[in-house]
Amino acid sequence: MNSAIPRFYEMPLDRRLKTVQEFSGLDDNEIALLKQECALDNSIAEIMIENVIGTTHLPVGIATYFLINDKDYLIPMAIEEPSVVAAASHAAKLARLSGGFKAKSTTPVMTGQVQIKNVHDFDIAEETILKSIDSIKALANKQDSTLVKRGGGLVSAECRKLETERGDMLVVHLNIDVRDAMGANAVNTMCESVAPYLEELTGGIASMKIISNLAAQRLVTAEAVWKKNELGEELIEGILDAYAFAKADPYRAATNNKGIMNGIDAVLIAAGNDFRAVESGAHSYACMSGRYQPLAHYRKNENGDLVGRIELPMAVGIVGGATKTNPIARIALKILGVRSANELGEISACAGLANNFAAVRAIVKEGIQHGHMKLHAKNIAIIAGAQGDKVHQLAERMIREKMVSVSRAEELLKEMGH
Ligand code: NAD
């Protein structure tokens, strides 16, 4: 049997499962697990994506102690990696001592790009487009009266001349206020509807019409202060050295920013958001200077306390996408009590900053493995085949021995007669 399976998408779920079983040799228990429904019913999953055979699960933990703009939050985080929830909570607990996080956002403006080829005179094309902005606006806004009613819609257009390996191109940016949506569908629809008119105005040929995930006009900033008397001067100096290291070295900055995205993605996955969109925006924003940089910045204030500040694009939504179809996302948004997409973005940025601070603090202070060890050891025990109480016993023993590895876990399991 090969993977060329015509009309797989039209098969009922049971037949799809049978086909996958025949292909891969899954046993009946494994098929039963795939069929087992969770909060997200298979019937809803089938509306969300194609070729569904089941749903997957992630733990959802609650990060505590977050005080953001003087409001208390319990933050649901969906993630498979140990220590992220604990680290975020710990950083928030320490930040709370100096008033918690302060966060703010710009207007939620996303950018759509229309690529126009074969333009003879770029200056005239630009002038014509900018002169016709009212008609462009009317055309775009006609596509989404719901958005316009809520105060959103096209706000401006910009023209960029791009020199590429296949010749010069005109790229028109349509800047669209998407209010509480992530905005990709809204932006793409508007770009497509405006493109024929842009062709008319420029005499060129509109090719790609698509959102940019470098949402450089939709930014969130968040700041927190960690007190000198809590951290100690030595640790603060260590964190500042770590920041300097990340600024000077993309190898370090990559891992630093991964730690930030641990927090941000976990919030966004719980809230049913497109975390890949935020990831690509974050990493491209980290390169805006031409060199890959850390997304969070550290300095000492006049009292010698550590001030952390994060700034990044935040294309998130509390309407649209999977925010309503996935019941867990609905519940996560209710736990957060968010009233706007901006508020969700601010919370996510604070979680990112908290995780960054906690990870760097741990690496500088005691090494990252120290805090990871408990859950990591349990995970290793399960990989080695431990079940029930043995998972805990085995993990404890490996931690005592300071030897956490699958091979050691297997040896110990044998000794324990498992
Ligand atoms: P959507 O089209 O599902 O919902 C947005 C719509 O909801 C708006 O256009 C508006 O008509 C309506 N709406 C109701 N109340 C609103 C409010 N208060 N504020 C704003 N709009 C309101 O979703 P979307 O946000 O346009 O698109 C998000 C989806 O697009 C995500 O699932 C994402 O994965 C997907 N997507 C992403 C990309 C990308 O990032 N490159 C590309 C294509 C699709």
Side-chain angles (χ1 to χ4, degrees):
M1 189 177 177
N2 65 31
S3 63
I5 310 170
R7 311 196 94 77
F8 187 76
Y9 65 98
E10 283 181 347
M11 292 177 187
L13 191 110
D14 275 346
R15 235 181 93 207
R16 254 184 242 144
L17 279 166
K18 189 103 202 101
T19 309
V20 173
Q21 185 172 28
E22 281 161 16
F23 182 88
S24 56
L26 293 179
D27 64 31
D28 288 346
N29 288 335
E30 288 162 333
I31 292 293
L33 276 180
L34 276 170
K35 273 171 109 168
Q36 199 171 299
E37 294 205 294
C38 61
L40 176 62
D41 290 352
N42 286 339
S43 59
I44 305 285
E46 286 198 275
I47 296 169
M48 293 170 75
I49 67 161
E50 311 77 27
N51 296 358
V52 165
I53 58 158
T55 52
T56 187
H57 306 255
L58 279 177
V60 178
I62 291 283
T64 48
Y65 287 99
F66 272 84
L67 184 65
I68 303 171
N69 295 337
D70 301 318
K71 182 174 166 189
D72 274 290
Y73 291 93
L74 290 181
I75 305 186
M77 300 177 96
I79 190 160
E80 82 297 343
E81 187 174 336
S83 302
V84 172
V85 178
S89 305
H90 184 61
K93 187 177 179 181
L94 292 176
R96 207 179 167 90
L97 298 171
S98 39
F101 297 82
K102 301 287 172 228
K104 58 180 196 250
S105 334
T106 59
T107 311
V109 172
M110 297 294 295
T111 297
Q113 298 189 295
V114 182
Q115 175 201 32
I116 306 182
K117 301 185 283 196
N118 300 355
V119 172
H120 295 303
D121 190 321
F122 283 83
D123 293 333
I124 293 180
E126 178 171 16
E127 202 185 314
T128 316
I129 287 172
L130 295 182
K131 260 200 219 148
S132 314
I133 187 66
D134 290 341
S135 324
I136 296 172
K137 234 182 227 181
L139 198 54
N141 287 349
K142 217 165 74 183
Q143 307 304 313
D144 203 331
S145 56
T146 316
L147 189 59
V148 174
K149 243 185 257 159
R150 284 162 174 79
L154 189 104
V155 287
S156 64
E158 292 162 84
C159 293
R160 295 170 59 215
K161 182 179 170 185
L162 275 194
E163 286 164 19
T164 81
E165 61 185 29
R166 290 178 56 86
D168 291 351
M169 296 168 190
L170 174 66
V171 177
V172 181
H173 278 197
L174 299 176
N175 300 315
I176 298 157
D177 181 340
V178 296
R179 300 281 88 196
D180 293 317
M182 179 266 166
N185 287 317
V187 169
N188 291 344
T189 307
M190 288 190 182
C191 287
E192 287 183 10
S193 69
V194 164
Y197 184 47
L198 294 177
E199 286 183 330
E200 228 176 83
L201 292 173
T202 59
I205 297 164
S207 182
M208 298 190 75
K209 306 122 193 156
I210 187 79
I211 191 166
S212 166
N213 285 108
L214 175 51
Q217 299 196 36
R218 192 180 189 181
L219 297 177
V220 175
T221 52
E223 202 170 279
V225 175
W226 287 279
K227 290 210 178 283
K228 183 174 78 176
N229 57 7
E230 282 299 319
L231 303 188
E233 273 178 55
E234 198 186 330
L235 180 57
I236 290 179
E237 294 303 322
I239 291 174
L240 291 173
D241 288 343
Y243 172 52
F245 178 11
K247 280 209 307 190
D249 180 16
Y251 287 89
R252 172 61 211 140
T255 316
N256 177 80
N257 289 346
K258 191 272 181 185
I260 291 175
M261 300 318 288
N262 274 344
I264 294 178
D265 286 348
V267 179
L268 296 181
I269 293 171
N273 266 248
D274 183 344
F275 62 98
R276 288 92 49 210
V278 176
E279 280 274 351
S280 66
H283 295 296
S284 45
Y285 194 67
C287 278
M288 285 294 267
S289 66
R291 181 190 180 115
Y292 189 77
Q293 289 288 292
L295 289 161
H297 310 277
Y298 291 91
R299 64 179 172 85
K300 265 193 294 192
N301 68 12
E302 57 290 353
N303 304 321
D305 302 327
L306 182 73
V307 183
R309 181 177 179 278
I310 188 169
E311 179 182 274
L312 79 165
M314 196 55 84
V316 297
I318 59 164
V319 293
T323 56
K324 297 285 187 288
T325 39
N326 186 338
I328 298 298
R330 281 203 304 268
I331 292 168
L333 288 168
K334 193 167 176 185
I335 295 171
L336 287 168
V338 285
R339 283 184 289 266
S340 67
N342 276 0
E343 193 178 353
L344 175 62
E346 288 163 15
I347 294 167
S348 307
C350 292
L353 179 60
N355 276 107
N356 182 238
F357 165 80
V360 174
R361 173 188 168 276
I363 300 167
V364 168
K365 205 175 168 190
E366 61 231 351
I368 197 79
Q369 288 307 84
H370 181 78
H372 273 259
M373 222 17 107
K374 237 180 171 161
L375 291 173
H376 175 61
K378 284 188 187 170
N379 210 6
I380 295 290
I382 291 171
I383 293 171
Q387 288 174 350
D389 289 350
K390 291 267 186 329
V391 174
H392 184 70
Q393 289 165 16
L394 191 55
E396 290 280 300
R397 204 152 151 202
M398 286 192 290
I399 289 170
R400 268 202 310 277
E401 284 184 358
K402 294 193 167 62
M403 258 192 79
V404 181
S405 71
V406 177
S407 52
R408 183 60 188 146
E410 284 169 348
E411 279 169 23
L412 288 171
L413 262 184
K414 266 195 208 131
E415 266 178 39
M416 290 156 98
H418 193 66

